[in-house]
Every structure is written in structure tokens, then in C-alpha cells.
Amino acid sequence: MIPHSRPFLPPHEAYSRYTEGIWQRQWLTNQGPLVKEFEEKIARYLGVEFVSYLSSGTTGLQCMLRTLARGGEVITTPFSYVATAGAVFWEGFTPVFADVETDTLAINHEKAAALIGENTRAILATHVYGLPANVAALETLAAQHGIPIFFDGAHAFGVKYHDRSLLSYGDCAVLSLHATKVFHTANGGLVVSRTAEGKKYIDAYRNFGHDGPNNFPYPGINGKNSEFHAALGLAMLPYADALLERRRGQWQRYRSLLKVLPDKCFLNPGVNTLHNGAYFPILNAEPTRASAIIAALAAAGVEARRYFYPALNTITYMAGAPCPVAEALSESAFCLPLHHDLTANEQEYIAKFVLNLW
């Protein structure tokens, strides 16, 4: 079986060097020294200043949304993983879905503008497959209406836009460090805040609302991460550059092998974007063709996935108005296997299979 994703792990001895200290200190969680060291080093690596390490990217979304006035609406995208809109719903807001652009696959700022009303609390956009949403237009729109712009950058590790980390845009951005990502800590997530004040609130929300001993001025949850997860992140960091370089090369190999497909089948990084090769989606296939290719690949031992499916505005508990572009995308898009130890021969095998079925 060629899996869709497979986590990279550093040498065990590299991890053990960190866990030995955990055994000596017997400090397992609650913002231990490894969590603090990881926050400092990952912030420096990404080129951002205010980083909070949490138990998951979803928890990061929840804490980010917790900074808003309670109730009301959050304008968000129907083409993302369910956690994006699910966090909006979970935190007591009504998700209002704006359809997406055909070039970035991210939220359409003109559609979003038409939905802003007196109950709008924020805009939450996704950097789809780790490639930039229309950042400038969304930041301008949010500023015009005096509301925050948040980004779900779950897939955006190591992505740069105009020579800046893509995670540095917006009032807050969330990065996933789940095992399926290019860089991971087994489970976990980061919130990148624009200001020190923003980080203060995220840090409090992830820690039961603490602001000093026995003082709880904020509503919080247990969203902290452990020393063991931070140890894995620290052991992974020396390999981050090589992982990114390999993924970009694998992404380019797929693009070359499949170049005879129509241009509409590919989501290409912009000229101002250094991407991370996180995913290789095939877009705009006829739905029946996409289903047939996924099934045939599975029968041949290759795991391709619909990603993202279904369109979030069609999920029963948070159903919204029709979003035809996103709904069509969710039926026609699928991602080919892509991970650090996928070989060139395996990529050739997969590409030939896709072309033969196309």
C-alpha cells in the first residue's frame, strides 16, 4: 500500500536526548522548559514573534475565536477541513459561508463583503493546501469594517508570501502540527498572534483562563501541550529544511509527470509564494471520473483522498446557503499521496495510473 501520508520521525536517539531530561525533572506539562524552548525556536524558524503552542490546531482555532465578543456570526469558507467551521460552531458563533475563488480556492473577498452585517464578529479564511488566500483583499476588507481577519493556516508550515511567513498575516493565524503535516509534533498546533497582547489572551485561554496563581479572569480550557510533544518538535526542527526541500521536489515531479492534464487541474503557487509541497491536489475532474480514479488507485494499492469533502455549507448541523464553486470543488478534487519517503518510482507509477484513467 502506498499511503496518502506518512509521518517523518527523527532518529530515536535525537528524541531520547530530550526525554531524558523529562525523566530527571519529572515536569511533564504546564508550560515546562521544553515547551518554552520549542515556542522560542519554532518562532525563530518561522520568522514570527508571538507564538503559542497548544494541544492541537483545532484548539488553536477555538482559542483564537474566544477573543471575539460572544455570539454573532463568523464569515468563513465552505472549502476547508471540518475543523475550521466546526470550531466556529463549537464556540457558539453562527458560521456564515462565503463561496471561494477559482484561483486560490480560498474565500472570495467580494462574496464575504456582501455578507458582513451588524452581527459579524470576524472573517476566518483558510490558506487552502498551504497556499495563500487573497491576503491583501481580506485584510483590507476586515479593516474597512473594523473586524478581525483570522487565517486557518493549518497546512502553511514553512510557506512564505512576499518573503514573510504566511502565518504572519492577519490578526491571528493557526498552524497544525498533527502527524499528517509536513512538520509535526505527533499532535499539536500553534497560534501566531500579531501582538503581545493577542498572545497573552491565547496563552490564558489555553490554560484554564489563568492570569497568575489562583486568578481566573478569562474563560479557558485545558489546551496546553506536553513536554513529550515539545521534545519531538525540538528533535524534528533540525530536519525541517530538508523535509521542505524534498516535498517541494516531489510536488514538482508530480507536476512534470502530469503536465499533459489541463491547466485547470492544478493549483499553482503564485510568483510571490514559496510553497511547502504539502499536498498535490488534482482539481476539476468530473465527479464520476474522480470517484473512478480514487477507487481504481485504491484497488492498485494507492491511497488518494478527496480533500476537502464535503463542502462545509452542506453539513447538516451548520448548513448554509449554496456555495456552488466550493460544492463543485469538493466533488471533483482529490489529493495524490505525498510524504517524505515517497519514491520517484512510486510517483511515476501513480502518475501513469492517473493518466491512463483520465
Side-chain angles (χ1 to χ4, degrees), residues 255-279:
R255 187 67 177 85
S256 296
L257 291 167
L258 295 166
K259 62 185 178 183
V260 298
L261 295 182
D263 286 343
K264 68 177 184 177
C265 293
F266 304 108
L267 180 62
N268 293 312
V271 293
N272 296 309
T273 302
L274 176 64
H275 71 105
N276 62 5
Y279 296 89

Side-chain angles (χ1 to χ4, degrees), residues 57-58 61 76-88 97 124 126-129 152 154-155 176 178 180-181 279 305-312 315 317-318:
T58 303
L61 288 169
T76 192
T77 172
F79 193 66
S80 186
Y81 187 60
V82 67
T84 307
V88 173
F97 295 102
L124 173 57
T126 294
H127 296 307
V128 178
Y129 305 129
D152 183 339
H155 306 153
S176 174
H178 185 262
T180 56
K181 303 303 186 287
Y279 296 89
R305 289 185 184 174
R306 286 195 183 280
Y307 203 61
F308 305 100
Y309 182 86
L312 301 182
I315 294 177
Y317 65 85
M318 53 186 176

Side-chain angles (χ1 to χ4, degrees), residues 42 45-48 125-133 135 151-161 164-169 173-178 180-183 190 192 244 248 273-279 307-308:
I42 195 73
Y45 181 84
L46 294 172
V48 295
T126 294
H127 296 307
V128 178
Y129 305 129
L131 296 179
V135 171
F151 288 108
D152 183 339
H155 306 153
F157 179 85
V159 179
K160 291 188 177 180
Y161 182 59
R164 283 171 51 189
S165 170
L166 184 56
L167 299 166
S168 68
Y169 293 88
V174 171
L175 172 72
S176 174
L177 295 174
H178 185 262
T180 56
K181 303 303 186 287
V182 176
F183 180 94
L190 298 180
V192 178
L244 289 168
R248 291 176 185 130
T273 302
L274 176 64
H275 71 105
N276 62 5
Y279 296 89
Y307 203 61
F308 305 100

Side-chain angles (χ1 to χ4, degrees), residues 42 91 101 117 120 126 181 206 217 295 341:
I42 195 73
E91 285 300 316
E101 299 175 336
T120 303
T126 294
K181 303 303 186 287
R206 72 177 172 186
D341 59 359

Side-chain angles (χ1 to χ4, degrees), residues 297-335:
L297 284 170
V302 178
E303 183 188 19
R305 289 185 184 174
R306 286 195 183 280
Y307 203 61
F308 305 100
Y309 182 86
L312 301 182
N313 63 302
T314 67
I315 294 177
T316 303
Y317 65 85
M318 53 186 176
C323 295
V325 178
E327 290 168 35
L329 274 169
S330 71
E331 295 285 347
S332 66
F334 61 95
C335 289

Side-chain angles (χ1 to χ4, degrees), residues 51-256:
V51 166
S52 304
Y53 184 43
L54 294 95
S55 56
S56 71
T58 303
T59 306
L61 288 169
Q62 291 176 251
C63 289
M64 185 171 67
L65 291 161
R66 179 60 60 169
T67 63
L68 303 174
R70 308 311 301 153
E73 300 173 343
V74 173
I75 297 172
T76 192
T77 172
F79 193 66
S80 186
Y81 187 60
V82 67
T84 307
V88 173
F89 188 87
W90 188 265
E91 285 300 316
F93 300 100
T94 300
V96 176
F97 295 102
D99 210 348
V100 299
E101 299 175 336
T102 56
D103 53 351
T104 67
L105 311 188
I107 192 169
N108 185 312
H109 68 281
E110 293 178 347
K111 300 285 186 184
L115 296 170
I116 293 174
E118 62 181 16
N119 292 321
T120 303
R121 299 287 181 261
I123 300 170
L124 173 57
T126 294
H127 296 307
V128 178
Y129 305 129
L131 296 179
N134 194 336
V135 171
L138 289 167
E139 286 189 330
T140 298
L141 176 64
Q144 287 172 344
H145 291 272
I147 56 176
I149 172 65
F150 296 149
F151 288 108
D152 183 339
H155 306 153
F157 179 85
V159 179
K160 291 188 177 180
Y161 182 59
H162 288 282
D163 296 321
R164 283 171 51 189
S165 170
L166 184 56
L167 299 166
S168 68
Y169 293 88
D171 293 278
C172 277
V174 171
L175 172 72
S176 174
L177 295 174
H178 185 262
T180 56
K181 303 303 186 287
V182 176
F183 180 94
H184 69 92
T185 62
N187 207 5
L190 298 180
V191 175
V192 178
S193 301
R194 177 176 285 177
T195 64
E197 183 80 357
K199 174 175 165 56
K200 182 188 83 169
Y201 287 116
I202 299 297
D203 289 351
Y205 294 144
R206 72 177 172 186
N207 188 28
F208 301 103
H210 271 285
D211 184 15
N214 303 316
N215 185 31
F216 306 95
Y218 314 110
I221 57 174
N222 185 6
K224 303 183 298 295
N225 216 330
S226 77
E227 290 289 273
F228 293 97
H229 291 83
L232 182 57
L234 289 165
M236 290 274 292
L237 265 175
Y239 300 91
D241 284 348
L243 287 169
L244 289 168
E245 183 179 358
R246 179 158 177 78
R247 288 291 276 267
R248 291 176 185 130
Q250 291 170 322
W251 188 97
Q252 189 57 53
R253 184 177 296 114
Y254 266 142
R255 187 67 177 85
S256 296

